[in-house]
Amino acid sequence: MFPRDFAWGAATAAYQIEGGWQADGRGASIWDTFSHGTGRVFGDHSGDVACNSYELWEEDLKCILQLGLTHYRLSVSWARLLPDGTTQHVNHKGVQYYNKVIDDLLAAHVSPVVTLYHFDLPQALQDQGGWKSSNIASFFNSYAQFCFQTFGDRVKLWITINEPYVCAKLGHEDGIHAPGLKEPGVAAYLVGHNMLRAHALAWHSYDKIFRPKQKGLVSLALNSDWLEALDPDCAEDIAATQRHFAFTLGWFASPVFVTGDYPEVMRTVIEANSQKYGYTGESRLPFFSKDEPAILGTADFFALNYYTSRKVTSASGLFDKLSMKSDQDVQDVLDPSWPISGVSWLAVVPDGLRKLLNYIKKNFGDPAIHITENGFAQVGQLQMEDVQRAEFYKQTISEVAKAITEDGVNVRGYFAWSLMDNFEWADGYSARFGLFHVDFSDEKRTRTIYHSGKEYAKLIKKYSS
Ligand code: GBH
């Protein structure tokens, strides 16, 4: 049912688990700055200690082995490796830490999948304009080259940037993620653009300089909900759904997988709204320069983060000011039959994943796909016997199986989010996504497997033998 070499994984991200925010010469990141402010993160929590994986990596490894994972997706912290963001100063303790993680994984026959950027820009680069600045692409390229050079003899699957959509929109439009900017309708498009440029430069570097010897694969992880028209017979709802897809998944997947440029509807709508709201600056949706390496073709596989689904209807001009919302002009509706997992945004819709996989197959050139994140949150009262989450994983994985065997989608891997409870960004430690519980009130940050972790281990065993 699943190919023999299917990747069975779990994922984490540096800032969410490592802690050690000032240990051994790590530089500050925008999430240190953001979470140290007040009123931004639930309970004013921060990732200062988190799961303390910087000191407790061996505990993480035990969890990985207990699950029987074939792959482990982690991210490396840019500011831990390069404290001021540039290759002028390398923090050798940081290099040592990730070398140990990678070597231990390989010794245990677990393949590392490494993300270079998971929301945690070095503060020193934010001080120079961050992702809004055009220069960031070449800083990122140097950082990526440094990582390929240092770890690429052992790492064969790379993700450059995790969820450019989330960084751009939550970080620069809504201001609910670091760096906390609220510049509606303008900054997010610029940030998304610079992230794509940065990704493309890094991919080309890998392709030219490192791939011939290292023979790995590089992609970027794109998050998308499954979207369908509220009324499948209503032309307006259908158009709204297409627009919604264009402004979320298409924003990044079209340039990389299909055309080398943004979806046409983004350009038309954004230009029209600039006129309507009297925005006179340069086009809010930048153009790719012919003098830079091409964006098209810069992903060796499709990396998808899927969590939930939405029904879509037109907003019919409801959002009447310059913003991404007014550009998109859509409204999301939750189907009342969908249960909500802990966090309010996460409606549980396992078959939405199968539909989305088919959508990607059809619209983005039938790529090899890794599901690089998928998960279920728990809030409030701790539940170690988390039968709902176990059921969620079982159902979701059976939808992936159907996508492979019945629909012929080329799915190559599945990564549960997350290996263990961790710092859930603006939700702090209030939302628990782990297969392992982490006791944040205990200095030892004891990890304990949830019922769902045991069940995920059984599924892996069943499908990979
Ligand atoms: C992933 O994003 C992240 O990659 C990962 O780090 C994170 O821990 C995981 O999700 C769980 O959240 O608060 O109503 O504005 C998933 C995509 C898109 C889901 C933004 C949450 C925010 C909804 N995310 N969305 S809201």
Side-chain angles (χ1 to χ4, degrees):
M1 195 181 314
F2 287 93
R4 272 200 79 72
D5 59 350
F6 194 81
W8 288 104
T12 59
Y15 187 76
Q16 295 180 272
I17 66 163
E18 283 179 7
W21 77 287
Q22 288 180 309
D24 294 342
R26 176 187 178 278
S29 87
I30 56 175
W31 268 96
D32 297 310
T33 311
F34 188 75
S35 65
H36 292 160
T38 48
R40 288 162 156 178
V41 173
F42 175 92
D44 287 343
H45 296 168
S46 79
D48 289 1
V49 182
C51 309
N52 199 13
S53 290
Y54 187 64
E55 290 180 2
L56 299 177
W57 152 247
E58 272 144 11
E59 298 305 310
D60 298 354
L61 181 60
K62 285 183 198 158
C63 300
I64 291 166
L65 296 180
Q66 197 174 343
L67 293 176
L69 305 182
T70 65
H71 289 64
Y72 175 55
R73 176 175 177 233
L74 67 143
S75 85
V76 290
S77 157
W78 189 342
R80 191 180 294 290
L81 289 166
L82 310 177
D84 71 2
T86 77
T87 48
Q88 305 234 314
H89 306 282
V90 175
N91 175 22
H92 293 284
K93 293 274 189 179
V95 174
Q96 242 171 46
Y97 172 67
Y98 295 116
N99 270 337
K100 176 159 172 55
V101 169
I102 292 166
D103 290 343
D104 287 354
L105 286 169
L106 290 174
H109 306 288
V110 178
S111 303
V113 179
V114 173
T115 302
L116 298 178
Y117 185 79
H118 200 123
F119 304 173
D120 51 352
L121 193 72
Q123 183 60 42
L125 295 181
Q126 186 62 44
D127 296 342
Q128 298 176 54
W131 288 106
K132 282 170 63 183
S133 151
S134 176
N135 297 334
I136 193 73
S138 86
F139 283 122
F140 182 77
N141 187 31
S142 302
Y143 163 55
Q145 290 196 11
F146 170 80
C147 291
F148 298 148
Q149 176 77 46
T150 309
F151 307 117
D153 54 336
R154 290 154 292 154
V155 175
K156 302 302 163 187
L157 284 171
W158 293 98
I159 301 293
T160 54
I161 295 176
N162 182 69
E163 299 184 348
Y165 174 90
V166 172
C167 297
K169 172 133 189 314
L170 278 62
H172 302 79
E173 167 102 7
D174 304 334
I176 59 176
H177 273 198
L181 301 180
K182 291 185 186 148
E183 300 174 11
V186 184
Y189 297 124
L190 180 58
V191 164
H193 190 71
N194 287 330
M195 291 193 133
L196 279 168
R197 291 175 52 242
H199 159 77
L201 285 181
W203 183 89
H204 282 283
S205 293
Y206 190 80
D207 196 49
K208 253 198 239 86
I209 307 170
F210 301 97
R211 196 198 307 280
K213 242 183 127 172
Q214 300 182 348
K215 302 196 182 355
L217 302 173
V218 180
S219 188
L220 76 176
L222 303 180
N223 61 294
S224 183
D225 297 348
W226 166 247
L227 305 168
E228 59 191 44
L230 180 62
D231 175 354
D233 298 321
C234 166
E236 261 210 328
D237 287 5
I238 295 169
T241 308
Q242 288 166 351
R243 209 159 55 239
H244 199 335
F245 261 127
F247 273 87
T248 50
L249 187 56
W251 180 8
F252 300 97
S254 289
V256 171
F257 290 92
V258 193
T259 61
D261 196 7
Y262 298 112
E264 222 165 272
V265 64
M266 283 186 84
R267 287 227 178 271
T268 340
V269 168
I270 289 171
E271 293 318 322
N273 278 345
S274 289
Q275 291 245 320
K276 177 173 169 190
Y277 297 111
Y279 181 85
T280 51
E282 269 178 61
S283 172
R284 290 185 290 134
L285 189 64
F287 288 87
F288 292 106
S289 160
K290 298 244 178 322
D291 303 327
E292 290 195 339
I295 304 288
L296 182 63
T298 58
D300 303 318
F301 59 95
F302 201 108
L304 171 71
N305 294 353
Y306 170 78
Y307 284 89
T308 190
S309 295
R310 293 287 185 269
K311 302 264 166 133
V312 183
T313 179
S314 172
S316 311
L318 176 72
F319 308 110
D320 195 17
K321 69 177 192 32
L322 192 82
S323 66
M324 288 186 75
K325 273 194 156 181
S326 72
D327 292 337
Q328 286 194 49
D329 193 32
V330 301
Q331 273 185 299
D332 285 347
V333 182
L334 290 171
D335 189 301
S337 75
W338 294 338
I340 300 294
S341 101
V343 282
S344 62
W345 56 269
L346 211 168
V348 178
V349 196
D351 67 346
L353 176 54
R354 179 179 177 187
K355 294 176 186 168
L356 184 58
L357 289 168
N358 276 281
Y359 178 89
I360 290 168
K361 176 183 165 70
K362 182 161 166 251
N363 291 283
F364 300 115
D366 196 6
I369 303 173
H370 279 278
I371 299 154
T372 37
E373 285 180 28
N374 174 247
F376 180 108
Q378 159 181 136
V379 300
Q381 181 64 44
L382 174 63
Q383 249 191 302
M384 291 308 296
E385 292 301 313
D386 54 346
V387 284
Q388 284 173 314
R389 177 155 45 200
E391 189 54 30
F392 161 87
Y393 276 117
K394 195 169 142 207
Q395 283 180 21
T396 306
I397 288 166
S398 104
E399 293 297 329
V400 177
K402 287 186 231 165
I404 296 173
T405 47
E406 295 177 34
D407 312 332
V409 183
N410 186 11
V411 188
R412 309 295 315 167
Y414 176 87
F415 294 75
W417 183 272
S418 175
L419 177 65
M420 57 192 163
D421 294 341
N422 58 47
F423 176 77
E424 177 50 25
W425 307 118
D427 289 335
Y429 299 97
S430 71
R432 297 181 297 269
F433 273 90
L435 293 163
F436 281 78
H437 172 254
V438 177
D439 184 352
F440 293 103
S441 65
D442 163 10
E443 212 185 313
K444 294 202 292 265
R445 296 297 191 270
T446 305
R447 287 102 162 109
T448 311
I449 195 163
Y450 284 106
H451 170 71
S452 61
K454 295 179 195 159
E455 292 301 307
Y456 185 49
K458 283 187 200 158
L459 289 171
I460 295 177
K461 202 161 185 189
K462 168 171 153 199
Y463 287 122
S464 63
S465 58

